[in-house]
Amino acid sequence: MAIRSSDSGQTRRNFLKLAGTMSAGAVVSRHTGEIAQALQQATDGPIEVAWLQGQSCSGCTISLLQGQYPTLEETLSEFRMELTFHPTLMAEHGEAAIESMSKSPDVLVLEGSVPTEIPSAATVAEKPIYDWVTELAPEAEYVIGVGNCAAFGGWPAAENKRGLHELGENVTGAKGLQFEQRSQPGVLGPDFKAGSGHPVINLGGCPPHPDYVLLTIATVLNGHEPDLDRYQRPKPFYEPLVHDNCKWRGYFDRGEFADKPGEEGCLYKVGCAGPYTNCDDQTRLWNDGTSVCLNVGAPCIGCMEPGFWDRFQPLDKEVEQQNIFGVDVETAGLAAVGAGVVGIGAHAARKAMGYGTSEQDGDGDQSESAVEERTASDADQQSDTETGADKPE
Amino acid sequence: MVEVKIDPTTRIEGHHGMELEVEDGQITEARSTMKMFRGAEIITVGRSPRDAAQLTGKVCGVCFICHRIGSSRATEDAAINAGAFDGIPEHAKILRDAVEGIFFLWNHAIHLFALVGPDYSDAVADTGFERLDPLEGEGYQGALENQRKLMQALAEFGGRAPHPLAFVPGGVATNPDVSTVQTVKSRLREVSNWLGPTDAVPEVLENVQNGEFDPELGEGLHDVVSILVAAAREGAADLGSGPNRYYSNGLFREPESDERIFKRGVYRDGSAELMTKDEIVEAISEHTEYSYYTDDSGGPPTEAKPPDPDPNKEGAYSWGKAPRFEGQTMEVGPLARLTISGYDPFDLRANLGGGSDESNTLNRLIARAQEVLIVRDRVLDLLDAFDPSEPLMADFPDDYTGKGVGLWEPSRGTLSHYVDVENGEIERYQIITPTLWNIGPRDGEGNPSIIEGAIVGDEVADIENPINVMRTVRSFDPCLACSVHVDSPEGSYETELKPASPGGMTDVGDD
């Protein structure tokens, strides 16, 4: 089928070219070879994808539709991927829709969390999503949790602060595929491996960047070993620290803080979670390079992180005030100024703050450590940092 | 009698099914079943009012801007009623209207081309119209390209889309400059060019009827008109008939006055009744007899005992509640807005759809297409009136105590957020979404919802493939994610809503 090039001329050929040269090149180009190969290989035969939605808002699907390199249409046609089931995009309905779904897909994608306490809180064809996931995942070559809900439980797993109904802190028992918030296990258990031998690949984010989804699929289709962090997120996307590449970083180093969102200055004091959030969207940008939250004066809310939503609550208060990290960043920022040498000051601030701490420690093999609950307190994280502060640059 | 279950209904947002009883090829009974629950209001309670906009904005990845603004308006209204806030700046209101307008265009494009359009395409219905074949048709792909441009326009102000973070209580947390506004306008113009000139509608209609395609007159317009013509040929005007009762919260204020392009009020018994915010709030209550919530969970959203989930409740079949307006079902959405405001551009509904105020499957599509043409001009007017150098955020204290209601009017229809704040913490939260009005369950009197009533009486030619039922379901542009929820704590509350304080910039609430 012919794919019409768009007004801006983004054909597949251009995608391959762009993948090597676009500004986020440091990340993308590292994979250009694999992506090109994966695309070629995928073109040799159809790749079956089943995309299920649990307790979802469809935001991840809508995000996917915004992808440009490649677009979803290109992925599905040029790369011969068959979306055998996707509730929002498919032609069929009812029984025919269920019949068309691959029951042993090459890639199983889940969007949305899985309710474990009230299984009827998300069903497809009268069958709880919990059953769909536990049946299909072992049959799939790759299982990908798209979005914070599927990966970590997301906001449906956020705390029922007032204990408003009897089921407890997590209203419906919402979980992610292999995690519940920052801990294991999720629905599939800590030892789960898909047919390829890989655990669930988590693409956190509310929503994740569309490139993360399509590039991850393209990469693993080549049999490339995904390089995952301790939360099973691909490192190339989830290693950079938002704070490092923020356009307000200079203001932070000078101790110049905004009093409210939208004002000039570093947004740390109005709740920015950038120093504790790992993703490359400050350089990758959203919507075809248009912008990113911090660029329009909206503090980072940490949506790429496991534990989002509760971890950074209340979102409009500085993280330090929440006593998560036990560090006064304002003082750290001012110390930077006091030091007179920005480089040193920044380093001190970094060290004090648990800069770059490593949520991404680990080699991706979760089998041993995963069993133990990942409830390392943030204070522990802080002490980890003492040794991990000097992140290679 | 044959029972037919359609689950999943697909090409809508979220988990939904239809259960039908069919006798002699005719539907005698219909149940609209909503199949997901997360507990948004429960989770919202106990948190900061500012965070409510962030959380409820993420209740739906399709209607994200609408919930952010609806929630922001509710908490701002509560602060105004508490005497703690003077309202948001004028230009923040203009910007909110403008982004909602861009959102309308985006949502209608996705709906017409990618969700409902395929029902009239060759791949799905063997109509010979191939441009909207899912993912493969040129029209479908053109729409995907253009919806990206609209999302880029939204991202210029919001930082990203979906789930832009800049729309918050107090106004809009962004600092656009003149060039940002120019960029947004040029994106809109590109999409406008793809769509085609409004005054070409009659000529395009003639082209489509003659099987001609003239890209000079707009590819988008040809595709939209093709859908309408295909739907008319498939008999959609005789499908999905509603009660001709409509409700809208109104939208798109004129910057110079409080007049709205889309009026606030209801339409019933053949005429429009314009209403105030208080009259609307007074008129609404919710039923839970057929919902998976305890029996005593219904009532006015400003004071009702909150619904507790009861997943095994006998007789229940939906995670949605049943909102009613003075006890009546009301259809909401583009057809409601246009009928209440008296718009029927090019008399398309009068000529093709059996009457301007007739509720049916075809007219819902026509109204959506008409609204695209009205709104695109409106957005450009709003952006012309918008001065990015004016303040866009206003001070907003944290520790107030008050009750508030945020009425808003997203593309799918009326949206209302209700909040009680005590000392800066949310005590109670409720949301009533457009989709609940249209496709919720029966009420306590056993009255079917709009969609349940609309489907009864329709014919099902092929029970293996009840495509007309799906056409009607999709004509409502249902969006389930935000429609199922419960609200909050034990105990009941008295209504303490007061009119917004007069004068100045304080009409956030009331307008």
Side-chain angles (χ1 to χ4, degrees):
Chain A
M1 169 209 337
I3 289 293
R4 200 167 51 128
S5 68
S6 69
D7 293 347
S8 48
Q10 309 302 351
T11 60
R12 179 175 77 97
R13 192 176 301 277
N14 284 340
F15 156 62
L16 293 175
K17 206 167 108 196
L18 279 161
T21 57
M22 60 193 288
S23 64
V27 171
V28 177
S29 63
R30 224 187 289 175
H31 286 277
T32 307
E34 285 88 345
I35 293 164
Q37 246 182 313
L39 302 183
Q40 228 162 14
Q41 182 171 313
T43 312
D44 292 342
I47 299 293
E48 293 186 349
V49 181
W51 181 299
L52 296 177
Q53 293 176 335
Q55 292 169 297
S56 95
C57 73
S58 296
C60 298
T61 289
I62 298 298
S63 178
L64 184 71
L65 290 177
Q66 310 317 311
Q68 294 274 40
Y69 311 111
T71 66
L72 180 68
E73 311 89 276
E74 287 166 342
T75 313
L76 294 174
S77 54
E78 295 285 308
F79 319 155
R80 305 238 176 124
M81 282 171 51
E82 288 188 8
L83 202 48
T84 64
F85 187 85
H86 189 302
T88 321
L89 301 173
M90 68 195 312
E92 300 88 345
H93 56 256
E95 235 173 85
I98 299 298
E99 274 166 24
S100 80
M101 184 200 307
S102 171
K103 305 303 187 296
S104 56
D106 294 282
V107 182
L108 173 66
V109 176
L110 179 69
E111 168 181 9
S113 52
V114 181
T116 59
E117 297 289 337
I118 306 182
S120 64
T123 64
V124 176
E126 304 195 324
K127 181 153 115 180
I129 204 74
Y130 180 91
D131 295 348
W132 283 111
V133 165
T134 50
E135 280 172 28
L136 291 179
E139 305 301 322
E141 278 297 296
Y142 298 96
V143 180
I144 302 181
V146 168
N148 241 56
C149 298
F152 309 116
W155 80 246
E159 191 188 350
N160 166 15
K161 282 178 177 293
R162 294 280 173 85
L164 293 181
H165 83 111
E166 58 191 26
L167 283 167
E169 287 189 2
N170 180 326
V171 179
T172 57
K175 294 185 178 194
L177 286 165
Q178 261 187 305
F179 283 81
E180 181 182 2
Q181 307 286 22
R182 304 170 77 195
S183 307
Q184 291 204 330
V187 170
L188 292 173
D191 297 327
F192 171 81
K193 297 271 195 290
S196 59
H198 295 105
V200 173
I201 298 169
N202 287 326
L203 301 176
C206 188
H209 196 289
D211 290 359
Y212 296 178
V213 181
L214 294 175
L215 296 181
T216 297
I217 292 174
T219 304
V220 297
L221 284 182
N222 189 39
H224 175 79
E225 287 290 317
D227 190 8
L228 305 178
D229 68 15
R230 64 180 290 195
Y231 293 111
Q232 298 168 201
R233 303 177 295 180
K235 283 187 184 177
F237 306 128
Y238 294 92
E239 199 161 47
L241 194 62
V242 167
H243 188 57
D244 278 353
N245 300 301
C246 178
K247 84 165 188 178
W248 305 108
R249 180 54 194 264
Y251 290 78
F252 171 82
D253 288 343
R254 293 193 299 276
E256 293 172 22
F257 295 98
D259 289 329
K260 55 176 187 273
E263 275 186 356
E264 178 111 356
C266 169
L267 294 162
Y268 186 80
K269 290 181 70 177
V270 287
C272 185
Y276 316 104
T277 301
N278 294 91
C279 70
D280 71 354
D281 69 353
Q282 296 305 112
T283 47
R284 185 177 295 276
L285 303 179
W286 286 77
N287 303 89
D288 194 19
T290 299
S291 194
V292 66
C293 316
L294 282 158
N295 283 5
V296 299
C300 172
I301 58 174
C303 78
M304 298 283 179
E305 290 301 303
F308 171 78
W309 177 271
D310 286 319
R311 192 172 165 211
F312 300 114
Q313 275 270 310
L315 299 178
D316 61 325
K317 296 287 181 295
E318 59 182 279
V319 178
E320 181 271 323
Q321 278 191 354
Q322 300 173 37
N323 204 23
I324 289 182
F325 294 93
V327 175
D328 185 340
V329 169
E330 187 182 3
T331 308
L334 291 169
V337 178
V341 181
V342 171
I344 292 173
H347 176 78
R350 194 148 68 213
K351 194 158 172 165
M353 289 170 51
Y355 176 94
T357 72
S358 271
E359 298 295 352
Q360 52 279 116
D361 285 345
D363 58 9
D365 178 3
Q366 300 292 321
S367 59
E368 306 235 342
S369 52
V371 185
E372 89 188 67
E373 282 229 321
R374 298 200 183 283
T375 51
S377 72
D378 292 296
D380 290 344
Q381 294 282 335
Q382 177 61 24
S383 63
D384 283 356
T385 321
E386 296 303 320
T387 51
D390 295 313
K391 181 180 148 193
E393 286 173 326
Chain B
M1 197 265 291
V2 190
E3 279 188 34
V4 179
K5 286 186 180 182
I6 310 171
D7 178 8
T9 47
T10 69
R11 268 187 285 122
I12 61 167
E13 192 297 316
H15 302 256
H16 179 255
M18 287 298 296
E19 298 176 2
L20 312 172
E21 289 177 14
V22 180
E23 230 170 301
D24 300 328
Q26 204 172 37
I27 298 168
T28 53
E29 189 90 19
R31 280 176 298 279
S32 164
T33 61
M34 297 172 148
K35 295 176 173 289
M36 187 185 73
F37 163 70
R38 290 170 297 177
E41 288 98 331
I42 280 185
I43 292 167
T44 304
V45 171
R47 296 175 193 262
S48 150
R50 288 174 202 274
D51 283 359
Q54 295 273 22
L55 192 142
T56 63
K58 286 168 177 285
V59 158
C60 185
V62 181
C63 323
F64 44 87
I65 283 189
C66 328
H67 281 288
R68 279 179 181 276
I69 297 178
S71 177
S72 298
R73 286 168 63 85
T75 55
E76 287 156 3
D77 189 44
I80 288 169
N81 290 333
F85 186 45
D86 289 334
I88 70 167
E90 183 62 26
H91 284 262
K93 289 183 194 173
I94 295 172
L95 188 54
R96 280 182 179 179
D97 272 12
V99 297
E100 186 65 47
I102 298 169
F103 177 80
F104 265 56
L105 299 177
W106 174 80
N107 188 71
H108 287 352
I110 287 278
H111 183 255
L112 283 167
F113 288 85
L115 302 182
V116 79
D119 281 341
Y120 305 97
S121 74
D122 198 57
V124 173
D126 208 13
T127 56
F129 173 47
E130 295 175 356
R131 286 181 52 86
L132 292 190
D133 287 351
L135 288 163
E136 301 187 358
E138 282 187 81
Y140 188 104
Q141 292 180 1
L144 287 189
E145 282 168 28
N146 281 279
Q147 63 89 24
R148 282 185 200 111
K149 293 176 187 173
L150 291 166
M151 281 287 211
Q152 285 162 15
L154 288 174
E156 291 284 348
F157 294 123
R160 66 171 179 180
H163 291 324
L165 301 183
F167 307 103
V168 293
V172 185
T174 181
N175 266 316
D177 55 20
V178 174
S179 88
T180 311
V181 178
Q182 286 309 326
T183 305
V184 170
K185 283 183 184 170
S186 84
R187 283 292 181 202
L188 289 169
R189 274 191 286 267
E190 285 173 46
V191 175
S192 234
N193 291 340
W194 159 74
L195 185 62
T198 299
D199 57 14
V201 169
E203 197 178 342
V204 171
L205 189 56
E206 204 179 317
N207 279 350
V208 169
Q209 281 162 339
N210 298 329
E212 288 162 21
F213 185 91
D214 180 358
E216 293 290 303
L217 296 176
E219 292 183 38
L221 208 48
H222 269 85
D223 286 334
V224 169
V225 171
S226 296
I227 294 168
L228 302 182
V229 169
R233 285 177 182 153
E234 298 280 309
D238 298 322
L239 293 173
S241 302
N244 299 357
R245 278 194 304 271
Y246 304 100
Y247 154 42
S248 165
N249 281 335
L251 191 68
F252 300 134
R253 241 169 26 101
E254 297 281 8
E256 305 306 321
S257 69
D258 268 353
E259 285 293 300
R260 288 185 184 77
I261 298 289
F262 295 142
K263 309 294 181 204
R264 169 173 287 176
V266 299
Y267 181 97
R268 51 190 165 187
D269 304 325
S271 64
E273 305 163 34
L274 302 190
M275 293 184 171
T276 65
K277 175 184 176 184
D278 288 349
E279 286 169 334
I280 282 173
V281 172
E282 282 290 311
I284 296 171
S285 66
E286 289 191 298
H287 296 239
T288 55
E289 283 81 352
Y290 292 89
S291 314
Y292 294 117
Y293 306 111
T294 55
D295 277 341
D296 56 351
S297 296
T302 48
E303 61 186 47
K305 174 185 184 300
D308 282 328
D310 185 359
N312 301 313
K313 179 170 157 183
E314 206 170 323
Y317 62 87
S318 178
W319 281 109
K321 294 186 284 185
R324 296 292 183 265
F325 195 101
E326 291 169 351
Q328 294 179 311
T329 54
M330 287 284 163
E331 179 169 342
V332 303
L335 179 58
R337 283 189 288 271
L338 268 52
T339 302
I340 292 167
S341 302
Y343 297 136
D344 185 6
F346 302 104
D347 295 325
L348 291 177
R349 303 201 305 279
N351 293 333
L352 295 174
S356 296
D357 71 346
E358 281 295 314
S359 166
N360 60 52
T361 298
L362 177 58
N363 270 349
R364 283 177 210 113
L365 303 185
I366 295 176
R368 199 164 282 115
Q370 291 174 318
E371 200 170 71
V372 167
L373 301 173
I374 294 171
V375 171
R376 74 161 162 194
D377 294 337
R378 184 64 195 150
V379 172
L380 288 169
D381 290 348
L382 284 162
L383 289 172
D384 285 341
F386 173 61
D387 180 351
S389 66
E390 291 286 327
L392 297 177
M393 282 287 284
D395 281 337
F396 197 61
D398 280 334
D399 54 352
Y400 62 91
T401 295
K403 286 166 167 280
V405 179
L407 299 186
W408 194 239
E409 182 67 24
S411 58
R412 290 181 168 78
T414 59
L415 172 67
S416 40
H417 281 234
Y418 305 79
V419 67
D420 293 0
V421 180
E422 225 172 278
N423 293 322
E425 257 185 29
I426 293 171
E427 283 295 312
R428 218 173 65 83
Y429 206 92
Q430 286 224 46
I431 306 169
I432 302 182
T433 66
T435 296
L436 273 185
W437 285 99
N438 285 336
I439 75 167
R442 284 159 167 68
D443 60 31
E445 316 295 317
N447 297 316
S449 64
I450 291 288
I451 198 174
E452 291 172 333
I455 279 177
V456 167
D458 284 352
E459 287 179 5
V460 178
D462 176 5
I463 58 168
E464 297 293 318
N465 182 24
I467 187 168
N468 281 340
V469 175
M470 287 312 309
R471 286 169 168 163
T472 295
V473 171
R474 294 186 185 115
S475 73
F476 287 97
D477 193 9
C479 189
L480 278 290
C482 46
S483 305
V484 287
H485 51 265
V486 300
D487 50 80
S488 61
E490 297 295 327
S492 61
Y493 297 84
E494 289 181 10
T495 313
E496 286 173 11
L497 292 165
K498 292 175 193 130
S501 25
M505 307 185 290
T506 58
D507 66 333
V508 177
D510 130 320
D511 16 268

